[in-house]
Amino acid sequence: MSTELSPHVSDVTPGHGALRPARSWLHSDAPSLSLNGPWRFRLSPTASGPEDFAEDRFDDQGWDTIPVPSHWVLEGDGAYGRPIYTNIRFPFPIDPPHVPDENPTGDYRRHFDLPAGWSDAERVLLRFDGVESLFRVWVNGVEVGGASGSRLAHEFDVTAEVRAGDNTVAVRVHQWSAASYVEDQDQWWLPGIFRDVTLLARPVGGIEDVWLRTGYEDGHGRIEAEVTAEASAFPVTLRIPELAIEHVWNAPGEITPLDVPDVLPWSAEVPRLYEATVSTAAESVALRVGFRTVEIRGDLFLVNGRRVVFHGVNRHETHPERGRVFDEEHAREDLARMKRFNVNAIRTSHYPPHPRLLDLADELGFWVVLECDLETHGFDQVDWVGNPSDDPAWREVCLDRIRRSVERDKNHPGIVIWSLGNEAGTGGNLAAMSAWVHARDAGRPVHYEGDYTGEYTDIYSRMYASVPETEQIGAADARSPLLNCTPAQSARQRGKPFLLCEYAHAMGNGPGAFDQYEALVRRYPRLHGGFVWEWRDHGLLATAADGTPYYAYGGDFGEVVHDGNFVMDGMLLSNDVPSPSLFEFAAVTRPIDFVFEGGKVAVTNLRHTADTADLGFRWRVEHDGVPVVSGELAVPVLAAGESGWAPVPPVPVASDAETWLTIEAALTRPTPWAPAGHVVATAQLDCTERRVVPAVRPRDDWRPGDGNLSVGIAEFSGGSLVRLADRPVTGPRLELFRAPTDNDESPSDGVEGSDDSIAGTSNADLWRRDGLDRLTARRVRVEHTGDALRTLEKVSAANSAVWVMMESTWSLEDGELELRVEIEPSRGWRTVWPRIGIRFELPDGAAPVDGAEWFGLGPLESYPDSLRAARTGRFTATVRDLSVDYARPQETGHRSELRRLTLTSGAADVLRISALPDTRGRRPGFTLGRHTPQQIARAGHPFELADSTTSHLVIDAAQHGLGSRACGPDVWPEFALRPESRTIRLRIAAG
């Protein structure tokens, strides 16, 4: 067996042997044979195992069986190692291009029969669509080559090696290689053959490659065809039946641009595709053609002459059981879900996806930024010393990766931008990649965020720029220097379209400020939107010691180096459940806008292409959340970008209830991604007549007492509440703590923040420092009147000299039990607070509190800087459904702007609570759950929260915002909660 082709894992060559040049992933009628399925498998701890396994007659009967495609660390319940999660850090020493001798290496073998008739093929190719990270291939004992580039396609010419009848293919896959240094994306390290393996018969006179470049202008299309085939393969015929096109090129020199009158354009909103074939006598290739022109005009990014606003997400390939193994049905539903939540764009972070994903994106309609499989983020740990992006030794690696990205996917109309990669510093190799793309495809611009000064890219791109910084980038009169730019470089970058390739880090409960970014995009045309980080959590399904399933993150597999739950940062949870942030995103990016003015409503179509003929507009009026009247709203059909007026229907206003008018725009017919009736946009108008809030009744007859009495349905012992409506209840206890969100746990950068932050210290650390999670109270005073009880408590924490005074007054007012709580902090508090609230404990007893009905904002949780998805109405939910199962337990379940709340046990009402606004009109919110904030904060996973025998109700006068601090800006100052005096007034009645 020859070994002269065998590369070392530390070689920086991208491939060797019979590796073919990159070409498109084509739908061809030429014969093919899938080699997916069970393969024999053996795992070795190092890369230096014997190569006798590749021999034709090697006996592999003692080996295990593993499916292809798959990741070996997700098979065998840990028998083949475990996944590793890192964000930036390399899970091996930074010693480029070398990797450790401890290098898990998987050997694969399988047999296949060469189909009858393949002996007539001109060539036989063996195609691998994805192998992590370096692999070598043998056919019938002969090494045919090897390659790296985990998310890239590689084809090997095996014509000389295959034979009639039985054949053997063997593959050796190394987990670590030099390639690992340029594949340091924020994701799980998952080795193995994880995409399709296919044997292709290439016919004599076949088509090697096809590229149908298209353009569009004013109803006319243009096709520039590039056909790669031998001269003997001609004539070649292009057919587009729907356009009555049947065009024959008799020789390569005859291929010239073709003008096509009367075509409809392709866009992400109206993804019009035309079925096309390119054929020779021996082979026919099927493509779907979309006519569109991408251009940059000044500082505007245009498709078909209109400015594009990217309401996008960064999308990794991830599944809780399959990892990056592609499942078309799941992917289609994933993209349909994106469309339902007003996502119109995808950045393929940070590598080309499975090629079928791009077919689906063309079909369903997405603007796509196709990113190359390149990231060297770990070199940031050593100040970018040795970074492959600027080392000539790695030049061919970088060029090979961009060539294979562009060539594979060049036919997709949905791809409107090529991206060189992500977080790889900067350097000459990236500039060379950009130059190659510009020479190869003048019809799409080049993106790379790390080119801060704009030396070699066409778009100015940043990640996690704050709202003020983004405004400085967008404003026409701004002159401040941009990040890492001189004044001249700043001017150059401001002359380009701007794109937030990552913003609004959606980790855990958050982010906030979607609406602030969207407002800037509408105000400044240079700003073209961005891509939320990211679409979905990367949790891997695992089982706790007691058999409880959960979604694992970094550290759950015993990794030596890991980055914890930073991989759980999507708007979609690992189990496909949309998080509240996804609903917030959909509300902010709604394609139809409503503005009420007088007796009319202005309706604006914010779409790029589509008019509103597919939408119906309806209205309803509710009194305290109860529908009373509804109808259809007469809105004219509006072209993209057009506004029109519609009369607001007569609204019956109630004198004893809040009156709300709700308008919705909904699909009138089904689409491939949503049923008829799906709501794409909504707005509300408060039509309530102003009502006077009952004044606080003054009392001057307070006298000291022992606190043993009843006030209405409330019973007290020693001044402490013990029962409400004949059931055990304790409280109110001052609650200033919330189980820290991932943003709360993130250290401040010390530059921009909403509080007196300390660089390198998180808000959560400051809260723990100040003892907010361990407050204790000292009863200062208990006083009575004939029908009231007043207590005063001084609340503080061990080793703290700051405090909060809390005065609670229970009284009968107009025959109802009222609780008024006055909260006043001392001087000396040095940081923001997570919340200002009071907590009640409701033990289960014979009738556990297991649900709630409320009138206020809902139906999902809401926070000061994440309110746009909330609407005022009447809602019901179980206690379980009031919380979100974030991968790491944290603050969840807050509902804002509470008016009335009924606690329920099964079908029975337990307690009814009305919330009165304070003197400034501010209403409280509530949280109802089975665990205290302190219990939640101690848990690393949901299964670590023990079963509870108590429900916990928190009424919050205020909550701190969410922000995006885990990877981005802190809470906007307007939504930061600083220590302050607040009042909570509640009326409480039996159920």
Side-chain angles (χ1 to χ4, degrees):
M1 179 178 59
S2 170
T3 59
E4 63 182 70
L5 295 176
S6 303
H8 190 271
V9 290
S10 296
D11 285 351
V12 296
T13 53
H16 69 283
L19 183 62
R20 301 279 299 169
R23 66 187 183 114
S24 299
W25 194 81
L26 297 172
H27 298 273
S28 169
D29 65 358
S32 66
L33 176 67
S34 173
L35 298 186
N36 292 351
W39 288 54
R40 293 290 187 176
F41 180 74
R42 175 184 68 185
L43 185 67
S44 302
T46 71
S48 58
E51 297 175 2
D52 58 346
F53 83 99
E55 295 286 358
D56 192 10
R57 300 185 182 279
F58 180 83
D59 182 4
D60 58 18
Q61 291 305 302
W63 288 18
D64 297 336
T65 298
I66 197 171
V68 169
S70 71
H71 303 280
W72 71 62
V73 293
L74 298 184
E75 301 293 326
D77 195 24
Y80 311 122
R82 290 295 194 180
I84 299 170
Y85 166 61
T86 62
N87 170 25
I88 298 173
R89 297 181 287 182
F90 290 117
F92 45 78
I94 305 174
D95 182 25
H98 306 292
V99 293
D101 294 336
E102 297 172 1
N103 187 356
T105 295
D107 292 333
Y108 295 77
R109 282 176 55 90
R110 71 156 290 164
H111 291 264
F112 65 89
D113 287 327
L114 195 71
W118 280 36
S119 58
D120 295 333
E122 181 179 42
R123 291 188 312 281
V124 177
L125 305 181
L126 182 57
R127 181 182 182 100
F128 294 84
D129 282 305
V131 183
E132 184 175 330
S133 68
L134 171 71
F135 69 105
R136 296 161 57 197
V137 185
W138 292 260
V139 174
N140 294 326
V142 178
E143 184 172 5
V144 296
S148 62
S150 298
R151 272 68 70 173
L152 304 171
H154 299 90
E155 291 180 340
F156 299 90
D157 189 334
V158 297
T159 310
E161 286 71 38
V162 295
R163 63 198 177 202
D166 180 67
N167 292 261
T168 303
V169 59
V171 183
R172 170 161 285 183
V173 181
H174 303 292
Q175 176 160 11
W176 310 122
S177 69
S180 303
Y181 285 101
V182 294
E183 294 179 0
D184 188 30
Q185 290 96 341
D186 176 9
Q187 61 181 347
W188 295 97
W189 297 88
L190 298 174
I193 304 174
F194 69 93
R195 286 187 186 158
D196 307 300
V197 182
T198 312
L199 202 66
L200 306 172
R202 302 298 307 131
V204 176
I207 300 169
E208 180 68 14
D209 203 357
V210 174
W211 186 5
L212 298 183
R213 311 186 205 201
T214 65
Y216 175 83
E217 185 175 4
D218 297 331
H220 292 270
R222 182 176 175 86
I223 298 175
E224 296 182 21
E226 179 183 291
V227 179
T228 305
E230 297 290 338
S232 59
F234 283 76
V236 174
T237 303
L238 169 66
R239 294 183 178 89
I240 307 179
E242 196 173 355
L243 297 175
I245 292 174
E246 184 164 336
H247 196 83
V248 179
W249 298 298
N250 289 300
E254 293 185 11
I255 300 177
T256 56
L258 184 66
D259 290 324
V260 187
D262 301 323
V263 300
L264 296 173
W266 183 97
S267 74
E269 292 170 357
V270 185
R272 186 64 165 89
L273 295 169
Y274 294 90
E275 302 290 338
T277 58
V278 178
S279 306
T280 68
E283 182 180 15
S284 182
V285 173
L287 304 96
R288 293 189 296 183
V289 175
F291 292 92
R292 89 288 180 271
T293 294
V294 179
E295 63 178 321
I296 290 177
R297 192 182 302 164
D299 60 0
L300 297 179
F301 179 89
L302 311 174
V303 175
N304 299 333
R306 290 186 59 86
R307 171 179 174 255
V308 172
V309 174
F310 294 89
H311 292 136
V313 294
N314 283 274
R315 179 191 179 275
H316 269 288
E317 290 193 309
T318 182
H319 185 275
E321 296 175 83
R322 296 186 297 271
R324 283 188 283 278
V325 175
F326 183 74
D327 179 277
E328 184 164 330
E329 182 179 354
H330 186 262
R332 181 182 287 275
E333 174 52 31
D334 223 24
L335 296 193
R337 186 183 291 111
M338 288 183 188
K339 296 284 286 189
R340 293 195 294 272
F341 283 91
N342 295 333
V343 174
N344 70 359
I346 298 169
R347 178 179 176 227
T348 68
S349 54
H350 297 291
Y351 42 82
H354 190 284
R356 275 294 291 158
L357 189 282
L358 298 168
D359 287 342
L360 298 177
D362 290 342
E363 174 188 323
L364 294 173
F366 290 91
W367 311 115
V368 175
V369 177
L370 195 287
E371 197 145 82
C372 182
D373 189 5
L374 177 69
E375 181 164 340
T376 68
H377 206 170
F379 285 92
D380 182 42
Q381 307 280 81
V382 292
D383 295 326
W384 299 103
V385 173
N387 183 19
S389 298
D390 201 32
D391 184 343
W394 295 79
R395 177 71 54 90
E396 185 54 33
V397 168
C398 296
L399 287 172
D400 179 75
R401 286 171 179 259
I402 195 64
R403 284 194 293 257
R404 291 189 179 278
S405 299
V406 171
E407 296 293 358
R408 194 196 75 169
D409 298 328
K410 56 185 177 285
N411 280 295
H412 291 284
I415 297 174
V416 293
I417 297 172
W418 299 115
S419 179
L420 303 179
N422 183 70
E423 293 176 325
T426 189
N429 293 342
L430 287 159
M433 293 167 69
S434 179
W436 183 88
V437 176
H438 283 115
R440 183 69 176 117
D441 183 11
R444 297 177 176 106
V446 173
H447 164 274
Y448 176 67
E449 188 266 348
D451 181 26
Y452 295 124
T453 60
E455 299 295 327
Y456 48 84
T457 50
D458 306 305
I459 293 167
Y460 182 34
S461 178
R462 287 283 311 285
M463 54 177 67
Y464 308 110
S466 67
V467 170
E469 184 182 4
T470 303
E471 183 166 22
Q472 283 297 302
I473 294 168
D477 58 351
R479 296 292 181 268
S480 60
L482 301 177
L483 180 71
N484 295 338
C485 288
T486 66
Q489 292 165 339
S490 298
R492 174 168 62 190
Q493 292 294 67
R494 282 195 171 96
K496 298 176 180 179
F498 177 72
L499 196 59
L500 281 163
C501 66
E502 295 179 22
Y503 81 110
H505 192 259
M507 185 177 181
N509 189 349
F514 276 137
D515 52 349
Q516 292 176 278
Y517 284 102
E518 182 67 12
L520 294 180
V521 170
R522 295 190 189 184
R523 190 179 310 150
Y524 302 113
R526 178 185 301 151
L527 307 180
H528 287 75
F531 297 82
V532 175
W533 188 266
E534 64 176 302
W535 170 239
R536 68 159 59 236
D537 284 356
H538 296 226
L540 294 176
L541 189 60
T543 305
D546 64 356
T548 303
Y550 72 102
Y551 292 100
Y553 49 74
D556 287 336
F557 296 106
E559 301 102 306
V560 175
V561 172
H562 66 86
D563 287 300
N565 70 317
F566 204 72
V567 77
M568 310 297 252
D569 49 13
M571 294 191 291
L572 193 69
L573 304 182
S574 299
N575 59 355
D576 294 343
V577 172
S579 74
S581 68
L582 188 52
F583 288 88
E584 182 75 2
F585 176 89
V588 168
T589 62
R590 63 187 187 185
I592 306 298
D593 195 36
F594 303 98
V595 177
F596 295 98
E597 186 175 320
K600 300 182 294 182
V601 57
V603 182
T604 301
N605 179 5
L606 300 173
R607 293 163 157 182
H608 175 273
T609 306
D611 62 24
T612 60
D614 63 329
L615 300 177
F617 295 83
R618 58 202 187 204
W619 59 271
R620 68 177 180 273
V621 174
E622 295 169 325
H623 291 164
D624 279 359
V626 177
V628 292
V629 64
S630 62
E632 302 296 320
L633 193 67
V635 177
V637 174
L638 302 171
E642 187 179 6
S643 296
W645 291 91
V648 172
V651 176
V653 178
S655 60
D656 59 347
E658 292 189 34
T659 301
W660 286 85
L661 169 68
T662 302
I663 295 178
E664 295 175 337
L667 296 175
T668 57
R669 54 182 182 268
T671 71
W673 47 269
H678 170 73
V679 175
V680 301
T682 186
Q684 282 192 309
L685 179 65
D686 186 358
C687 304
T688 305
E689 291 183 345
R690 186 176 180 275
R691 288 181 290 172
V692 177
V693 177
V696 175
R697 180 158 59 101
R699 286 180 169 82
D700 56 9
D701 55 345
W702 294 106
R703 62 186 184 278
D706 59 10
N708 298 317
L709 76 164
S710 294
V711 179
I713 61 171
E715 299 176 35
F716 301 88
S717 175
S720 297
L721 177 70
V722 292
R723 300 183 71 83
L724 270 176
D726 292 324
R727 67 171 294 142
V729 179
T730 60
R733 169 185 175 142
L734 180 67
E735 187 61 84
L736 303 180
F737 185 68
R738 71 184 185 192
T741 67
D742 292 306
N743 292 318
D744 295 337
E745 290 282 13
S746 182
S748 168
D749 59 11
V751 175
E752 179 187 5
S754 60
D755 60 349
D756 297 326
S757 57
I758 301 172
T761 303
S762 70
N763 277 338
D765 286 339
L766 297 177
W767 299 340
R768 288 185 284 257
R769 176 201 68 185
D770 290 347
L772 298 189
D773 58 336
R774 48 186 170 83
L775 296 175
T776 60
R778 177 174 64 84
R779 183 71 52 78
V780 175
R781 187 166 61 244
V782 179
E783 298 175 316
H784 303 179
T785 68
D787 60 353
L789 169 73
R790 183 168 68 181
T791 62
L792 181 65
E793 295 177 314
K794 186 175 185 179
V795 182
S796 189
N799 198 40
S800 176
V802 291
W803 39 265
V804 178
M805 299 303 296
M806 175 174 141
E807 182 183 84
S808 303
T809 303
W810 297 85
S811 61
L812 289 177
E813 307 292 344
D814 304 320
E816 293 183 291
L817 176 66
E818 178 172 309
L819 167 64
R820 188 177 79 255
V821 179
E822 303 282 356
I823 299 165
E824 183 178 350
S826 69
R827 296 178 180 272
W829 292 96
R830 294 173 291 164
T831 186
V832 296
W833 278 353
R835 70 183 341 141
I836 302 175
I838 54 175
R839 192 174 89 218
F840 296 89
E841 314 295 329
L842 299 100
D844 286 349
V849 172
D850 57 12
E853 177 182 332
W854 74 99
F855 176 45
L857 289 188
L860 301 176
E861 64 185 29
S862 55
Y863 293 83
D865 53 354
S866 185
L867 285 169
R868 294 287 293 276
R871 60 182 174 85
T872 302
R874 188 182 296 272
F875 308 98
T876 61
T878 65
V879 168
R880 178 175 179 82
D881 290 340
L882 285 168
S883 300
V884 178
D885 275 337
Y886 296 111
R888 183 189 69 79
Q890 56 195 274
E891 164 65 28
T892 178
H894 179 76
R895 268 70 178 177
S896 308
E897 300 287 329
L898 179 66
R899 279 79 161 170
R900 286 191 292 280
L901 170 66
T902 300
L903 304 181
T904 60
S905 179
D909 293 347
V910 175
L911 288 172
R912 290 183 286 112
I913 301 171
S914 297
L916 279 64
D918 66 11
T919 56
R920 293 172 54 183
R922 298 173 297 189
R923 297 183 183 274
F926 83 95
T927 304
L928 178 66
R930 297 292 286 175
H931 298 91
T932 68
Q934 292 77 9
Q935 291 169 339
I936 295 170
R938 289 193 291 268
H941 302 84
F943 74 82
E944 296 173 32
L945 288 165
D947 291 339
S948 171
T949 59
T950 303
S951 292
H952 305 271
L953 172 66
V954 181
I955 303 293
D956 283 317
Q959 273 255 3
H960 185 57
L962 299 175
S964 190
R965 199 196 232 188
C967 192
D970 201 353
V971 174
W972 189 249
E974 179 184 349
F975 306 115
L977 179 58
R978 293 172 178 82
E980 62 183 33
S981 298
R982 296 297 291 255
T983 300
I984 297 174
R985 287 183 71 190
L986 307 175
R987 297 279 177 95
I988 305 173

